[in-house]
Amino acid sequence: AGTVYDSLTDLCWEKDASTSGKNWKAALQECNGLDSILPGTGWRLPKANELVSIIDYGYEGSSYWHTTKFTNYANDGYWSSTTRPTYASYAYTLDSIYGYLVHDNKTSTYYVVCVRDK
């Protein structure tokens, strides 16, 4: 458990990501439930632009969170809270290996990392 503070964005991230995939609704619920587990309040599923902000584009096939700051993050897709415009049943996900956003049906399964404002 624990948190990682990103001074560039002024966001506090969950140090350990979830180790199992969830659909979008379950991802939202997981983040909303962290207030009683991790320090601080206001834990939430990150917006698409917030997820992209922690990718280190200097390392092909690797991401910012694969440094010593973060643990248990998978080389896989992560949910954002951002719904795709004109497609309410789709939300954006981050491909953490290549650092790009895609969208998928909210019933699909992706990993979860939570964030809060400082």
Side-chain angles (χ1 to χ4, degrees):
T3 61
V4 174
Y5 173 67
D6 182 355
S7 60
L8 294 175
T9 60
D10 213 23
L11 294 171
C12 191
W13 292 88
E14 182 179 20
K15 183 178 178 80
D16 298 314
S18 74
T19 56
S20 63
K22 294 176 174 40
N23 67 37
W24 190 75
K25 185 176 179 181
L28 289 171
Q29 291 170 341
E30 179 177 320
C31 291
N32 291 338
L34 283 182
D35 283 355
S36 62
I37 299 170
L38 289 177
T41 59
W43 287 99
R44 58 185 170 75
L45 198 59
K47 299 171 193 166
N49 65 324
E50 292 170 336
L51 269 177
V52 171
S53 77
I54 62 171
I55 294 294
D56 184 347
Y57 290 98
Y59 298 96
E60 182 179 348
S62 181
S63 60
Y64 178 77
W65 57 54
H66 290 119
T67 67
T68 57
K69 293 181 180 182
F70 295 95
T71 56
N72 296 326
Y73 280 61
N75 281 328
D76 210 328
Y78 283 80
W79 281 117
S80 80
S81 64
T82 308
T83 296
R84 183 170 178 218
T86 69
Y87 293 95
S89 62
Y90 284 72
Y92 286 98
T93 63
L94 172 70
D95 179 311
S96 67
I97 297 172
Y98 299 105
Y100 58 82
L101 292 171
V102 295
H103 54 84
D104 203 351
N105 194 295
K106 293 177 179 179
T107 60
S108 298
T109 302
Y110 289 96
Y111 288 94
V112 181
V113 58
C114 305
V115 68
R116 68 172 172 82
D117 298 316
K118 181 181 175 191

mmCIF file of all heavy atoms in Angstrom, residues 83-110:
data_model
loop_
_atom_site.group_PDB
_atom_site.id
_atom_site.type_symbol
_atom_site.label_atom_id
_atom_site.label_comp_id
_atom_site.label_asym_id
_atom_site.label_seq_id
_atom_site.Cartn_x
_atom_site.Cartn_y
_atom_site.Cartn_z
ATOM 1 N N THR A 83 -15.372 9.049 -20.462
ATOM 2 C CA THR A 83 -16.274 8.396 -21.418
ATOM 3 C C THR A 83 -16.028 8.972 -22.805
ATOM 4 O O THR A 83 -15.798 10.168 -22.953
ATOM 5 C CB THR A 83 -17.735 8.622 -20.991
ATOM 6 O OG1 THR A 83 -17.941 7.972 -19.725
ATOM 7 C CG2 THR A 83 -18.717 8.064 -22.001
ATOM 8 N N ARG A 84 -16.089 8.122 -23.805
ATOM 9 C CA ARG A 84 -15.882 8.582 -25.180
ATOM 10 C C ARG A 84 -17.086 9.414 -25.622
ATOM 11 O O ARG A 84 -18.228 8.977 -25.495
ATOM 12 C CB ARG A 84 -15.700 7.395 -26.111
ATOM 13 C CG ARG A 84 -15.413 7.858 -27.526
ATOM 14 C CD ARG A 84 -15.000 6.761 -28.428
ATOM 15 N NE ARG A 84 -14.799 7.351 -29.754
ATOM 16 C CZ ARG A 84 -15.119 6.755 -30.865
ATOM 17 N NH1 ARG A 84 -15.646 5.546 -30.852
ATOM 18 N NH2 ARG A 84 -14.902 7.338 -32.018
ATOM 19 N N PRO A 85 -16.846 10.610 -26.150
ATOM 20 C CA PRO A 85 -17.962 11.438 -26.623
ATOM 21 C C PRO A 85 -18.776 10.705 -27.694
ATOM 22 O O PRO A 85 -18.213 10.040 -28.550
ATOM 23 C CB PRO A 85 -17.264 12.666 -27.220
ATOM 24 C CG PRO A 85 -15.922 12.699 -26.575
ATOM 25 C CD PRO A 85 -15.554 11.267 -26.313
ATOM 26 N N THR A 86 -20.054 10.825 -27.611
ATOM 27 C CA THR A 86 -21.055 10.221 -28.505
ATOM 28 C C THR A 86 -21.165 8.704 -28.366
ATOM 29 O O THR A 86 -21.970 8.091 -29.049
ATOM 30 C CB THR A 86 -20.838 10.584 -30.006
ATOM 31 O OG1 THR A 86 -19.659 9.947 -30.490
ATOM 32 C CG2 THR A 86 -20.745 12.080 -30.210
ATOM 33 N N TYR A 87 -20.369 8.097 -27.495
ATOM 34 C CA TYR A 87 -20.450 6.650 -27.238
ATOM 35 C C TYR A 87 -20.445 6.424 -25.730
ATOM 36 O O TYR A 87 -19.425 6.056 -25.149
ATOM 37 C CB TYR A 87 -19.268 5.899 -27.867
ATOM 38 C CG TYR A 87 -19.275 5.913 -29.370
ATOM 39 C CD1 TYR A 87 -18.557 6.874 -30.070
ATOM 40 C CD2 TYR A 87 -20.000 4.965 -30.080
ATOM 41 C CE1 TYR A 87 -18.556 6.891 -31.452
ATOM 42 C CE2 TYR A 87 -20.001 4.973 -31.463
ATOM 43 C CZ TYR A 87 -19.276 5.942 -32.148
ATOM 44 O OH TYR A 87 -19.275 5.956 -33.513
ATOM 45 N N ALA A 88 -21.567 6.627 -25.097
ATOM 46 C CA ALA A 88 -21.644 6.576 -23.635
ATOM 47 C C ALA A 88 -21.281 5.209 -23.054
ATOM 48 O O ALA A 88 -20.916 5.114 -21.891
ATOM 49 C CB ALA A 88 -23.035 6.973 -23.165
ATOM 50 N N SER A 89 -21.346 4.165 -23.847
ATOM 51 C CA SER A 89 -21.010 2.829 -23.334
ATOM 52 C C SER A 89 -19.522 2.515 -23.477
ATOM 53 O O SER A 89 -19.081 1.415 -23.144
ATOM 54 C CB SER A 89 -21.848 1.763 -24.036
ATOM 55 O OG SER A 89 -21.565 1.745 -25.418
ATOM 56 N N TYR A 90 -18.724 3.485 -23.933
ATOM 57 C CA TYR A 90 -17.282 3.305 -24.102
ATOM 58 C C TYR A 90 -16.515 4.290 -23.235
ATOM 59 O O TYR A 90 -16.931 5.429 -23.048
ATOM 60 C CB TYR A 90 -16.877 3.522 -25.562
ATOM 61 C CG TYR A 90 -17.219 2.369 -26.464
ATOM 62 C CD1 TYR A 90 -18.531 2.101 -26.817
ATOM 63 C CD2 TYR A 90 -16.232 1.547 -26.962
ATOM 64 C CE1 TYR A 90 -18.858 1.044 -27.645
ATOM 65 C CE2 TYR A 90 -16.534 0.475 -27.798
ATOM 66 C CZ TYR A 90 -17.850 0.234 -28.133
ATOM 67 O OH TYR A 90 -18.166 -0.817 -28.945
ATOM 68 N N ALA A 91 -15.373 3.848 -22.731
ATOM 69 C CA ALA A 91 -14.476 4.734 -21.989
ATOM 70 C C ALA A 91 -13.064 4.549 -22.530
ATOM 71 O O ALA A 91 -12.740 3.514 -23.121
ATOM 72 C CB ALA A 91 -14.506 4.408 -20.497
ATOM 73 N N TYR A 92 -12.227 5.562 -22.293
ATOM 74 C CA TYR A 92 -10.838 5.483 -22.739
ATOM 75 C C TYR A 92 -10.017 4.628 -21.782
ATOM 76 O O TYR A 92 -10.222 4.644 -20.570
ATOM 77 C CB TYR A 92 -10.231 6.876 -22.851
ATOM 78 C CG TYR A 92 -10.737 7.622 -24.061
ATOM 79 C CD1 TYR A 92 -11.770 8.533 -23.939
ATOM 80 C CD2 TYR A 92 -10.202 7.379 -25.316
ATOM 81 C CE1 TYR A 92 -12.254 9.206 -25.045
ATOM 82 C CE2 TYR A 92 -10.683 8.047 -26.429
ATOM 83 C CZ TYR A 92 -11.705 8.953 -26.291
ATOM 84 O OH TYR A 92 -12.193 9.605 -27.390
ATOM 85 N N THR A 93 -9.092 3.889 -22.364
ATOM 86 C CA THR A 93 -8.137 3.099 -21.599
ATOM 87 C C THR A 93 -6.739 3.473 -22.062
ATOM 88 O O THR A 93 -6.546 3.946 -23.181
ATOM 89 C CB THR A 93 -8.349 1.582 -21.788
ATOM 90 O OG1 THR A 93 -8.122 1.245 -23.159
ATOM 91 C CG2 THR A 93 -9.746 1.175 -21.370
ATOM 92 N N LEU A 94 -5.770 3.262 -21.196
ATOM 93 C CA LEU A 94 -4.382 3.544 -21.515
ATOM 94 C C LEU A 94 -3.656 2.231 -21.753
ATOM 95 O O LEU A 94 -3.681 1.341 -20.906
ATOM 96 C CB LEU A 94 -3.717 4.288 -20.362
ATOM 97 C CG LEU A 94 -2.207 4.479 -20.498
ATOM 98 C CD1 LEU A 94 -1.892 5.486 -21.612
ATOM 99 C CD2 LEU A 94 -1.609 4.930 -19.191
ATOM 100 N N ASP A 95 -3.014 2.113 -22.902
ATOM 101 C CA ASP A 95 -2.102 0.996 -23.150
ATOM 102 C C ASP A 95 -0.782 1.394 -22.508
ATOM 103 O O ASP A 95 -0.079 2.281 -23.001
ATOM 104 C CB ASP A 95 -1.932 0.780 -24.655
ATOM 105 C CG ASP A 95 -0.978 -0.352 -24.962
ATOM 106 O OD1 ASP A 95 0.130 -0.376 -24.394
ATOM 107 O OD2 ASP A 95 -1.337 -1.219 -25.777
ATOM 108 N N SER A 96 -0.452 0.767 -21.393
ATOM 109 C CA SER A 96 0.698 1.210 -20.605
ATOM 110 C C SER A 96 2.037 0.835 -21.224
ATOM 111 O O SER A 96 3.064 1.363 -20.812
ATOM 112 C CB SER A 96 0.615 0.653 -19.186
ATOM 113 O OG SER A 96 0.762 -0.755 -19.196
ATOM 114 N N ILE A 97 2.072 -0.044 -22.179
ATOM 115 C CA ILE A 97 3.340 -0.395 -22.822
ATOM 116 C C ILE A 97 3.740 0.676 -23.827
ATOM 117 O O ILE A 97 4.870 1.146 -23.853
ATOM 118 C CB ILE A 97 3.258 -1.762 -23.515
ATOM 119 C CG1 ILE A 97 3.002 -2.856 -22.488
ATOM 120 C CG2 ILE A 97 4.553 -2.051 -24.278
ATOM 121 C CD1 ILE A 97 2.727 -4.212 -23.105
ATOM 122 N N TYR A 98 2.796 1.079 -24.661
ATOM 123 C CA TYR A 98 3.103 2.016 -25.735
ATOM 124 C C TYR A 98 2.636 3.438 -25.457
ATOM 125 O O TYR A 98 2.944 4.351 -26.207
ATOM 126 C CB TYR A 98 2.530 1.502 -27.049
ATOM 127 C CG TYR A 98 3.129 0.166 -27.405
ATOM 128 C CD1 TYR A 98 2.401 -1.003 -27.262
ATOM 129 C CD2 TYR A 98 4.455 0.071 -27.812
ATOM 130 C CE1 TYR A 98 2.964 -2.234 -27.557
ATOM 131 C CE2 TYR A 98 5.032 -1.155 -28.106
ATOM 132 C CZ TYR A 98 4.281 -2.310 -27.980
ATOM 133 O OH TYR A 98 4.845 -3.513 -28.250
ATOM 134 N N GLY A 99 1.875 3.630 -24.405
ATOM 135 C CA GLY A 99 1.516 4.970 -23.965
ATOM 136 C C GLY A 99 0.454 5.665 -24.782
ATOM 137 O O GLY A 99 0.421 6.879 -24.840
ATOM 138 N N TYR A 100 -0.428 4.923 -25.398
ATOM 139 C CA TYR A 100 -1.486 5.575 -26.162
ATOM 140 C C TYR A 100 -2.851 5.222 -25.599
ATOM 141 O O TYR A 100 -3.031 4.214 -24.920
ATOM 142 C CB TYR A 100 -1.402 5.255 -27.653
ATOM 143 C CG TYR A 100 -1.474 3.785 -27.999
ATOM 144 C CD1 TYR A 100 -2.701 3.123 -28.089
ATOM 145 C CD2 TYR A 100 -0.324 3.064 -28.252
ATOM 146 C CE1 TYR A 100 -2.769 1.781 -28.408
ATOM 147 C CE2 TYR A 100 -0.383 1.710 -28.577
ATOM 148 C CZ TYR A 100 -1.607 1.082 -28.659
ATOM 149 O OH TYR A 100 -1.674 -0.249 -28.965
ATOM 150 N N LEU A 101 -3.825 6.083 -25.905
ATOM 151 C CA LEU A 101 -5.198 5.880 -25.456
ATOM 152 C C LEU A 101 -5.999 5.167 -26.534
ATOM 153 O O LEU A 101 -5.844 5.449 -27.725
ATOM 154 C CB LEU A 101 -5.867 7.217 -25.149
ATOM 155 C CG LEU A 101 -5.326 7.984 -23.953
ATOM 156 C CD1 LEU A 101 -5.924 9.377 -23.912
ATOM 157 C CD2 LEU A 101 -5.607 7.241 -22.664
ATOM 158 N N VAL A 102 -6.831 4.265 -26.100
ATOM 159 C CA VAL A 102 -7.807 3.608 -26.964
ATOM 160 C C VAL A 102 -9.130 3.656 -26.214
ATOM 161 O O VAL A 102 -9.182 4.087 -25.070
ATOM 162 C CB VAL A 102 -7.409 2.148 -27.295
ATOM 163 C CG1 VAL A 102 -6.136 2.121 -28.122
ATOM 164 C CG2 VAL A 102 -7.249 1.318 -26.044
ATOM 165 N N HIS A 103 -10.193 3.209 -26.829
ATOM 166 C CA HIS A 103 -11.467 3.159 -26.125
ATOM 167 C C HIS A 103 -12.038 1.757 -26.266
ATOM 168 O O HIS A 103 -11.757 1.043 -27.228
ATOM 169 C CB HIS A 103 -12.438 4.219 -26.643
ATOM 170 C CG HIS A 103 -12.645 4.157 -28.118
ATOM 171 N ND1 HIS A 103 -13.536 3.313 -28.726
ATOM 172 C CD2 HIS A 103 -12.040 4.837 -29.109
ATOM 173 C CE1 HIS A 103 -13.481 3.474 -30.025
ATOM 174 N NE2 HIS A 103 -12.576 4.393 -30.286
ATOM 175 N N ASP A 104 -12.820 1.368 -25.285
ATOM 176 C CA ASP A 104 -13.434 0.052 -25.304
ATOM 177 C C ASP A 104 -14.744 0.112 -24.534
ATOM 178 O O ASP A 104 -14.994 1.044 -23.772
ATOM 179 C CB ASP A 104 -12.487 -0.985 -24.687
ATOM 180 C CG ASP A 104 -12.787 -2.404 -25.158
ATOM 181 O OD1 ASP A 104 -13.822 -2.633 -25.824
ATOM 182 O OD2 ASP A 104 -11.981 -3.311 -24.854
ATOM 183 N N ASN A 105 -15.535 -0.919 -24.733
ATOM 184 C CA ASN A 105 -16.815 -1.017 -24.046
ATOM 185 C C ASN A 105 -16.577 -1.099 -22.542
ATOM 186 O O ASN A 105 -15.662 -1.789 -22.082
ATOM 187 C CB ASN A 105 -17.576 -2.250 -24.536
ATOM 188 C CG ASN A 105 -19.018 -2.210 -24.118
ATOM 189 O OD1 ASN A 105 -19.331 -2.251 -22.939
ATOM 190 N ND2 ASN A 105 -19.906 -2.124 -25.098
ATOM 191 N N LYS A 106 -17.412 -0.421 -21.782
ATOM 192 C CA LYS A 106 -17.254 -0.380 -20.328
ATOM 193 C C LYS A 106 -17.468 -1.736 -19.660
ATOM 194 O O LYS A 106 -17.149 -1.898 -18.483
ATOM 195 C CB LYS A 106 -18.196 0.662 -19.719
ATOM 196 C CG LYS A 106 -17.825 2.077 -20.110
ATOM 197 C CD LYS A 106 -18.827 3.080 -19.553
ATOM 198 C CE LYS A 106 -18.456 4.496 -19.925
ATOM 199 N NZ LYS A 106 -19.427 5.475 -19.420
ATOM 200 N N THR A 107 -17.986 -2.715 -20.389
ATOM 201 C CA THR A 107 -18.131 -4.064 -19.834
ATOM 202 C C THR A 107 -16.851 -4.886 -19.982
ATOM 203 O O THR A 107 -16.746 -5.968 -19.423
ATOM 204 C CB THR A 107 -19.289 -4.818 -20.513
ATOM 205 O OG1 THR A 107 -19.020 -4.905 -21.918
ATOM 206 C CG2 THR A 107 -20.617 -4.111 -20.275
ATOM 207 N N SER A 108 -15.871 -4.365 -20.726
ATOM 208 C CA SER A 108 -14.591 -5.055 -20.893
ATOM 209 C C SER A 108 -13.804 -5.029 -19.593
ATOM 210 O O SER A 108 -14.149 -4.316 -18.652
ATOM 211 C CB SER A 108 -13.779 -4.399 -22.008
ATOM 212 O OG SER A 108 -14.460 -4.490 -23.234
ATOM 213 N N THR A 109 -12.734 -5.771 -19.544
ATOM 214 C CA THR A 109 -11.925 -5.897 -18.336
ATOM 215 C C THR A 109 -10.540 -5.271 -18.538
ATOM 216 O O THR A 109 -9.831 -5.637 -19.472
ATOM 217 C CB THR A 109 -11.762 -7.386 -17.957
ATOM 218 O OG1 THR A 109 -13.067 -7.944 -17.775
ATOM 219 C CG2 THR A 109 -10.956 -7.555 -16.693
ATOM 220 N N TYR A 110 -10.205 -4.337 -17.654
ATOM 221 C CA TYR A 110 -8.894 -3.696 -17.649
ATOM 222 C C TYR A 110 -8.447 -3.518 -16.201
ATOM 223 O O TYR A 110 -9.227 -3.650 -15.266
ATOM 224 C CB TYR A 110 -8.932 -2.336 -18.347
ATOM 225 C CG TYR A 110 -9.102 -2.452 -19.837
ATOM 226 C CD1 TYR A 110 -10.360 -2.345 -20.419
ATOM 227 C CD2 TYR A 110 -8.013 -2.691 -20.658
ATOM 228 C CE1 TYR A 110 -10.527 -2.471 -21.786
ATOM 229 C CE2 TYR A 110 -8.174 -2.827 -22.029
ATOM 230 C CZ TYR A 110 -9.430 -2.711 -22.584
ATOM 231 O OH TYR A 110 -9.593 -2.845 -23.934
#
